[in-house]
C-alpha cells in the first residue's frame, strides 16, 4: 500500500476500533466485564480503573462479581458504580460486590439497537471525513505539481476503495451487535 495512503488507512482503522470498543461496553442482557472499563475509582487520590484494584469475574451469565484487593475499596467501587450510567444497584457482603443484570425488556432492547445504529453512523461519518481529508491532501499535491493528475485520480480511487471497505466493516459490526441485542 502507498505510504501516503497508509496514514489514512490507520485513521480509518482507529475509527472502527473505537466503535468496537464502544460496542463492548453496551450490555446485551448478559454480564460483560467491559461495562466497567470506563469507570474510575479514587485509589489514594488517583483515578484508577476498577480492574486495577479488584478481581472482576462473571460467575453467572447475568452477574459480575468484583472482589477488591483491599477491603476499604468496597465503598469506593460501589460509589463509582452508583454514580455511573450503568443503571444497576450493586450489592455487597463487605468483601465482594455483585452486580446482577436484569433481563432486558423489549423496549430497552430496541433503545439499545437504536444507540448501536447511531454509533455506527457516527463511525461512518468519521471515516468519510478521513476520506475528505485524504482527497484534499491529494488535490494539494496535484496543484503543487508534486504528482500528476493521473496519480491524483489513482490516489482518490484508492482512498474511495479503502473507505468502502471500512464502511462495510462498520455495517457488519452494527448488524452483529444489533442481532446480539435483539436476541432474547
Amino acid at each position: 500500500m502507498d505510504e501516503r495512503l497508509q496514514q489514512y488507512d490507520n485513521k480509518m482503522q482507529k475509527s472502527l476500533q473505537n466503535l468496537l470498543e464502544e460496542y463492548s461496553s453496551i450490555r446485551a442482557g448478559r454480564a460483560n466485564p467491559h461495562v466497567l472499563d470506563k469507570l474510575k475509582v479514587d485509589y489514594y487520590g488517583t483515578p484508577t480503573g476498577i480492574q486495577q484494584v479488584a478481581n472482576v469475574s462473571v460467575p453467572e451469565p447475568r452477574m459480575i462479581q468484583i472482589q477488591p484487593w483491599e477491603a476499604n475499596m468496597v465503598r469506593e467501587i460501589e460509589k463509582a458504580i452508583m454514580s455511573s450510567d450503568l443503571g444497576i444497584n450493586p450489592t455487597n457482603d463487605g468483601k465482594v460486590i455483585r452486580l446482577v443484570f436484569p433481563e432486558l425488556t423489549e423496549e430497552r432492547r430496541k433503545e439499545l439497537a437504536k444507540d448501536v445504529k447511531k454509533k455506527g453512523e457516527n463511525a461512518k461519518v468519521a471515516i468519510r471525513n478521513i476520506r475528505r481529508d485524504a482527497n484534499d491532501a491529494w488535490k494539494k499535491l496535484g496543484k503543487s505539481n508534486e504528482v500528476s493528475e493521473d496519480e491524483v485520480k489513482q490516489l482518490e480511487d484508492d482512498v474511495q476503495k479503502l473507505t468502502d471497505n471500512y464502511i462495510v466493516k462498520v455495517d457488519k459490526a452494527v448488524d452483529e451487535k444489533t442481532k446480539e441485542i435483539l436476541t432474547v
Side-chain angles (χ1 to χ4, degrees), residues 7 40 68 72 85 93 111 132 141 174 180-181:
Q7 65 174 327
K40 301 283 184 226
N72 63 331
D85 60 357
D93 60 9
E111 235 174 77
R132 187 196 59 221
L141 284 177
V174 168
E180 177 188 329
I181 287 169

Side-chain angles (χ1 to χ4, degrees), residues 7 11 30 42-44 59 83 92 115 121 133 155 169:
Q7 65 174 327
K11 287 179 181 178
R30 284 190 298 282
D42 182 27
Y43 185 66
Y44 298 106
S83 65
N92 84 63
D115 193 36
E121 281 308 312
D133 294 346
L155 286 167
K169 288 179 181 177

